Amino acid sequence: MSNTVSIYNFKGGVGKTTTALNLGISWSRSFKVLLIDFDPQCNLTNAITIEEPRNTIYDNIRNLLHDHDPDIEPLEIAPYLHIIPGDFQMTQIESNNQFISFGTGIIARLLSTQRREYDFIIMDCPTNFGVLVKAILGSSKNILIPAQADSFSITGIQTLMGYLNMVENSLLNILGVFFNMYNGNLILSQEKFNEAKNSFGNLILDTTVSRSIKVGEALDIGQAISDYSPDNTAAVEFMKLSDELLAKFLGNVSSHVVLENLNLQE
């Protein structure tokens, strides 16, 4: 059974898509990974696919809304990395009365068709905390929260925790908050990181990922920063983030080691 991980923060510009892509590619070196692009902007899809998207997430949700069995055919990006493409039509979901009423069950049904096929399902969420995000988080086992170490970081995390209390999923596990695009040379960034650690304890992950233009360049061509510029500071830090998160799932096992015949627990 797969581990489902939602990448979400209601604040835009924190690197949700970059995080989904880099973790997906990193984990796919050892595990079978499915990416799902729920964001109507389709940035993850546009970054990682070259062919015209077909059988998108909207197509599959529409089938479920009409009580049809989903005909999910994820696109293969690499042997152990697949994606269900995004679709700008996902903007219509927010006003669909049936989805408003039964969205969590619909997303859960969609995920259930893929759980046995993948070790990890990583979901890139839209920013808006609407019925779609609530349904995704309501069906997900874990949430990972990218954030920035700025003057709004502490209140932003507190606000997000309040939002998560509105999600009808008592089993939702917060993997942690990590500071993305972090500048450790700035006193303000250091202060905000320490303040967050003091306020939220182990909820704040130890790994931070530095701001680097190379990360954006890699995203533009659908590559992980570790492939595009492996010696880059952000590349090294994304690998550390990958390891820190995998340790939470696997018990201090490095993502650099290929694990065979591993049955990940839900």
Side-chain angles (χ1 to χ4, degrees):
M1 297 290 284
S2 62
N3 283 277
T4 50
V5 181
S6 296
I7 312 293
Y8 180 69
N9 194 330
F10 69 93
K11 187 177 185 299
V14 295
K16 294 188 294 295
T17 298
T18 300
T19 301
L21 183 142
N22 279 277
L23 288 180
I25 292 177
S26 176
W27 289 349
S28 69
R29 296 183 179 116
S30 302
F31 308 102
K32 192 172 182 182
V33 177
L34 174 65
L35 300 170
I36 304 180
D37 188 356
F38 280 105
D39 193 337
Q41 295 185 69
C42 307
N43 290 332
L44 180 59
T45 300
N46 293 334
I48 208 169
T49 62
I50 56 176
E51 60 183 272
E52 185 68 24
R54 54 179 174 77
N55 200 243
T56 68
I57 187 63
Y58 179 77
D59 296 329
N60 287 286
I61 289 178
R62 184 180 58 186
N63 284 339
L64 288 168
L65 287 170
H66 289 87
D67 205 27
H68 298 152
D69 291 331
D71 184 24
I72 300 176
E73 298 179 6
L75 294 178
E76 181 177 305
I77 305 303
Y80 295 101
L81 181 65
H82 296 168
I83 185 172
I84 299 178
D87 194 320
F88 75 94
Q89 295 183 90
M90 287 296 288
T91 55
Q92 302 176 24
I93 292 298
E94 294 290 331
S95 58
N96 183 288
N97 289 330
Q98 189 175 356
F99 192 88
I100 291 171
S101 299
F102 306 107
T104 300
I106 288 170
I107 298 298
R109 186 178 169 192
L110 183 145
L111 293 176
S112 70
T113 66
Q114 304 299 304
R115 287 182 189 273
R116 295 188 181 277
E117 301 297 324
Y118 298 93
D119 297 309
F120 288 99
I121 298 177
I122 300 175
M123 295 172 280
D124 188 16
C125 300
T127 300
N128 176 45
F129 190 75
V131 294
L132 176 58
V133 166
K134 290 179 183 178
I136 297 168
L137 296 179
S139 307
S140 183
K141 179 64 176 176
N142 305 281
I143 178 174
L144 174 65
I145 304 167
Q148 290 191 47
D150 56 23
S151 57
F152 301 107
S153 58
I154 304 302
T155 56
I157 295 169
Q158 291 171 334
T159 301
L160 180 57
M161 294 304 114
Y163 282 9
L164 295 183
N165 287 331
M166 299 167 59
V167 175
E168 296 181 1
N169 183 358
S170 61
L171 300 178
L172 181 63
N173 174 51
I174 302 175
L175 286 173
V177 179
F178 82 96
F179 286 131
N180 197 14
M181 295 175 276
Y182 182 78
N183 188 342
N185 294 322
L186 294 179
I187 294 177
L188 177 62
S189 296
Q190 297 174 25
E191 290 177 346
K192 290 302 176 182
F193 180 84
N194 292 330
E195 185 180 348
K197 272 287 191 180
N198 290 334
S199 297
F200 301 102
N202 291 335
L203 189 64
I204 307 300
L205 298 178
D206 292 330
T207 305
T208 61
V209 177
S210 300
R211 183 183 297 275
S212 172
I213 192 172
K214 295 291 185 182
V215 175
E217 291 175 357
L219 182 65
D220 284 343
I221 58 175
Q223 288 189 5
I225 180 61
S226 58
D227 293 326
Y228 180 74
S229 183
D231 295 329
N232 183 271
T233 300
V236 174
E237 291 165 343
F238 260 119
M239 291 305 299
K240 288 181 179 179
L241 177 65
S242 171
D243 283 344
E244 184 175 359
L245 293 171
L246 279 179
K248 291 177 174 289
F249 291 114
L250 308 174
N252 299 319
V253 176
S254 171
S255 64
H256 303 298
V257 179
V258 177
L259 304 177
E260 298 180 353
N261 302 318
L262 178 67
N263 182 22
L264 293 174
Q265 297 300 312
E266 176 67 13

